[in-house]
Amino acid sequence: MELVGYAQPWVVRPGQTVAVKVSTTLPEFTAEMVRLDGAGQPASPAGFTPGARYPGRRQELVRGSYLIAELGQEPDPGTGGTAQLWLWPTLLRGRQCLMAGRGPEGGWELAIGADGRVRFARLTEDGEIAAEVAAGPSLTARTWYFAAAAWDAAGSVAVVVTRRGQGAPHGISGAGRVAGASLAGPVPAVCVVTAGAALAGSGIRRVCDCFNGKIDSPRLFGVPLTAAGLAALAADAPADRIGGLRHEWRLGPAAALPPSRVPDAGPGRCDGFLVNQPTLGVTGRNWTPGTDGFTAAPDEYRAAHFHSDDLGDAGWDTDLSFEVPGSWGSGVYGVRLRGAEGAEDTVPLIVTAAGAAGPRPAAAVLLPTFSYLAYANEHASWEHPIKSSEEEAAALPVTRRDRFMAEQRLLSLYEQHADGSGTCLSSWRRPVLNLRPGYHLPLVRGPHQFSADLELLHWLASLAADVDVITDDDLHRRGAAALAPYRVVLTGSHPEYTSARMLDGLDSYLQSGGRLMYLGGNGFYWVTSAPADDPWIIEVRRGMAGTRVWQSPPGECHQAMTGERGGLWRLRGRSPQALTGVGFTAQGFDVSLPYRIDASVASDGARAGFIVGGIAAGEPLTGNGSVLGGPAGFEIDRADPALGTPPHAVVVATARGFSDRYQGAVEDIMTADSQQGGTVSGLVRSDIVFFETPAGGAVFSTGSIAWCGALRDPDGSETPVGRLTGNVLARFTDPAPFDGSLCER
C-alpha cells in the first residue's frame, strides 16, 4: 500500500483533538475533510488547509509482544546473577528471545536457538552475541520447561533446562545442564530487562527475535545460584526462600487492563509493562486440569502468551492533527489522504452525539464499533473460505487492500496467530484497512460492517431524517444514559459483539419505554470486554461452543479484563431472542432471499398493520440488495420462544427456501446429521419480529445482515424493504405510546 493511515481516537466529540498517523512510500501527500454518511460536505477545522501538502515517510509496523522493565541505576553487586523463568513454546522456528538484559556496556540473553535448544549469551554494546553456551535437548512445542542461567563475576555460567513431568503436578524430568562453561569475559550489568523479545535498538519498540509461547514468572537474582538453588527453583520452591531474589514479574490477569503494568513481587520493586498486548488469563506451568479459570486459582495463571504477530499499538508518529469543530454535527466523517498516481486512503472518524448538550432528535443510530473492531483487518474468510470448490475460492474478488492486511499480519478476532492460537484481542491503535467507505468483503462480494452501515446512513440522509449517531463505545462507557435522550435507537447491520455494560444499558432503555429497531443479523452474540474509560481494545474468548473459527483452550475461557466467562451470551442466559425477539440461526454465502409477509399482519391494524402500510398484499419484501442480492441472507436470525422470544411477539414476515449452502448454527445441533441445511431444516429461516414492551416502548427486528443493503435500489429508488423500514421509523418516532398491556398475556 502506497498510502495508509489511522486516527487516534476515531470516536470523538466536538472540541477533541484528533491525531492522524500516516505511512507512505510517496514523497508527499495531501489531506481534506469529507463526510461519509451522505449528509453534505463538512467545514474544515480551524488551521486545517484542504489540499495542503505533507511530507511523506514510511512508518513501520513493529509486531511482537513482550514485557519490559527499566531497572534504572540499580547497583551492580559485581558477583554475577541468575535469570530464570518457565516457558511453554508453541512455534519452534528461528531464534527466539526468552529473557534479556541490556546496559550501556552490553548485556545477556536467555534464548531458544535455531536448533531448538536453550542458549545463554553474553552480548556486546551493539547487542551482538559475544559468546554463548547451550543446554539440554531440542525443545518440544506445547510442553512446559524450566530454564535458568547463573553466571559469576568471571563469566563462568551454568545453564539448566528441565522438563515438567507429565504425571505429577510438580514432577521434573529430563534435566539438561551445562556447568562451568565460560563466556570468555564477565557479563555486563544491565538497566533494562525484557521477556518475550530482544531489544534491537534505541526505543522500546525496536525489537527482534520475538517468542511464540507462554512465559511464567520471569525472575532475576543478584547472585549466581548454586546447583541446589536452581534445583529448588525447578521444583517450584518459593523464590524468596532461595536467597538473592531481586525481581519477580507476575504475569497474571491483574495486568490485563491497559496500560498493562506488571507488578514486581521481588524486593527490587521495579514494575514492568507489556507492549503489544500478549494474551493474559492463560494457564501457567502449575495449572491443575479441571480448574475453570483464574478467578478460582490466580496462582495457576501467572503466565502470558506472547506472539510474534501481536500488535496492540502501532505507535506511529503523528503527521497532522486538528480539533473537531463545534459546528460538526454527529455523523461519520473521513480524512481523505491523496498522493501521486492515484494513491488514496480515507481514514474514518465518527463524531458521536453521546453526552451532547441541548435538545436531541427523536432517533439515533447505534453504530456497532465493537463489531467493527472484532472484524478489523479480517482476512480468514477469503484465505480459508467456506466454498464448495477451489474454483469458487479462487474467484473471490480479493483486492490489494485485502492482501496487505494478510501480508502485514494485521489480525482480527477471526484469525489465528502464527503459532495456531486464536486471536482474542483487537485494537484501534493501528491501521484498519477494511474500515473504509466502499469496502467489499470478498466472501459475499458486498459491503460488510462499516461500509454496510454507511448504506443505512445514506438511506436516512435520503429521507432527510433527523438522527444522531452514537456508538458501542458510548454505550459501553455510559450505559443507558447514552440511549436515554432518544425515542428510538436503530442498530447497524451486524452488532455481533456486546459487553455486559451494553446489554444492561439496552435492557434498561427498553424497560423505561425506549424503542429499538434491530436492523441486522447475528447480533448480541459474543461476550466482549473492553476498558471502561477508553474502549480502544476489546477481548473475546470464544469458549468451546458457538459458530466459531477457533476455540479457547481448557482453562482459558474467562475474559482476562473482567474475569467473566466468555463465549456466547446465549450460554450465559442472555439469549438475543430475549432482547430483540430473534437470534442467530444460520449463515450462508450464495444468495439472499426476499421475505413473505404473514397474511394476518396486514389485517391486524391495531398492532402491526402499520409496519406493512403501502405494501401490496402478497408483495415480496425484496430489493436488489448489495449483500448477495436481497434482504434476507449472509447471517440470519429466527424467533424462538424457547430461547426468549416474548409470547406476544408478532412474526411479521419470514424468508424461507435457503439452499444447503446455508447451514444451521452449531449451537442448535445436538447430534451431527444431514438435516441442517436450508432445504431441510426448519430452523434455517429469517424472521422479522415486532413486539411491545411494558413501559410503552417496542422492538422491531429484521434478523438479517443483508437488510440494510436492500433499503434502496442501486438507482436510489425506494424498495419494499425501504418502505417497510420507513413505516416502522415513523411510528417509532411518534410519541404515542404502544400498548404495553399485551406483555402480560
Side-chain angles (χ1 to χ4, degrees), residues 639-698:
D640 192 334
L643 291 173
T645 301
H648 66 288
V650 176
V651 177
V652 176
T654 297
R656 300 179 187 274
F658 291 93
S659 74
D660 285 338
R661 301 290 287 277
Y662 279 79
Q663 291 286 310
V666 297
E667 55 268 26
D668 288 325
I669 301 172
M670 298 297 106
T671 302
D673 58 26
S674 60
Q675 305 300 307
Q676 307 306 322
T679 63
V680 291
S681 174
L683 299 183
V684 181
R685 67 180 192 273
S686 179
D687 292 328
I688 297 175
V689 165
F690 163 77
F691 61 91
E692 304 89 347
T693 60

Side-chain angles (χ1 to χ4, degrees), residues 3-395:
L3 183 62
V4 64
Y6 67 98
Q8 195 172 310
W10 86 289
V11 176
V12 295
R13 294 164 182 77
Q16 276 191 276
T17 298
V18 176
V20 182
K21 298 152 187 296
V22 181
S23 177
T24 180
T25 58
L26 304 171
E28 62 181 16
F29 64 92
T30 64
E32 64 175 331
M33 295 297 167
V34 294
R35 189 150 185 176
L36 304 178
D37 53 17
Q41 182 69 16
S44 292
F48 186 94
T49 304
R53 298 182 182 278
Y54 297 87
R57 58 176 168 177
R58 183 174 179 179
Q59 305 207 60
E60 294 183 51
L61 290 168
V62 182
R63 291 167 293 273
S65 56
Y66 55 97
L67 164 75
I68 185 166
E70 299 188 26
L71 307 183
Q73 301 299 316
E74 191 168 85
D76 177 17
T79 57
T82 302
Q84 177 260 311
L85 48 72
W86 291 84
L87 67 145
W88 192 74
T90 53
L91 184 64
L92 292 166
R93 185 174 65 194
R95 187 179 182 88
Q96 299 179 61
C97 174
L98 300 170
M99 192 174 178
R102 293 288 296 274
E105 298 179 2
W108 51 264
E109 180 180 81
L110 187 64
I112 302 173
D115 59 357
R117 302 177 70 201
V118 172
R119 297 172 173 272
F120 183 76
R122 176 171 62 84
L123 305 178
T124 67
E125 295 179 19
D126 298 327
E128 301 295 325
I129 296 174
E132 72 174 352
V133 295
S138 296
L139 303 181
T140 300
R142 289 175 166 77
T143 300
W144 277 107
Y145 294 91
F146 168 91
W151 62 92
D152 63 20
S156 178
V157 62
V159 182
V160 174
V161 181
T162 61
R163 181 174 181 268
R164 179 172 289 281
Q166 300 299 307
H170 300 288
I172 296 295
S173 64
R177 177 182 174 87
V178 173
S182 174
L183 293 175
V187 176
V190 301
C191 55
V192 177
V193 171
T194 58
L199 295 178
S202 60
I204 65 170
R205 294 193 173 277
R206 304 285 298 178
V207 294
C208 61
D209 300 338
C210 295
F211 175 62
N212 287 283
K214 297 179 185 178
I215 291 176
D216 190 335
S217 303
R219 296 167 176 148
L220 190 59
F221 294 78
V223 296
L225 295 182
T226 64
L230 293 173
L233 283 177
D236 255 354
D240 56 3
R241 297 182 185 177
I242 303 300
L245 177 67
R246 290 295 300 157
H247 305 285
E248 178 180 358
W249 291 282
R250 294 189 173 176
L251 294 161
L257 284 174
S260 304
R261 186 162 294 278
V262 179
D264 179 0
R269 289 292 185 270
C270 181
D271 292 351
F273 64 93
L274 298 172
V275 178
N276 276 337
Q277 297 299 130
T279 305
L280 299 173
V282 296
T283 55
R285 90 273 186 178
N286 58 342
W287 177 67
T288 304
T291 302
D292 190 46
F294 63 86
T295 56
D299 288 347
E300 297 180 14
Y301 288 81
R302 288 183 178 168
H305 194 151
F306 297 90
H307 304 93
S308 59
D309 50 14
D310 281 330
L311 181 60
D313 186 345
W316 285 1
D317 293 330
T318 298
D319 290 88
L320 59 132
S321 63
F322 58 90
E323 185 178 288
V324 177
S327 61
W328 281 12
S330 71
V332 181
Y333 298 76
V335 184
R336 181 175 291 159
L337 310 172
R338 285 176 168 156
E341 300 180 1
E344 183 176 318
D345 189 27
T346 299
V347 178
L349 190 67
I350 297 177
V351 177
T352 176
R360 309 312 311 161
V365 175
L366 176 63
L367 292 179
T369 47
F370 275 28
S371 295
Y372 298 166
L373 187 48
Y375 282 92
N377 298 308
E378 187 273 328
H379 48 269
S381 63
W382 62 262
E383 282 192 309
H384 311 287
I386 304 173
K387 288 289 178 183
S388 62
S389 70
E390 292 298 324
E391 291 75 15
E392 282 189 65

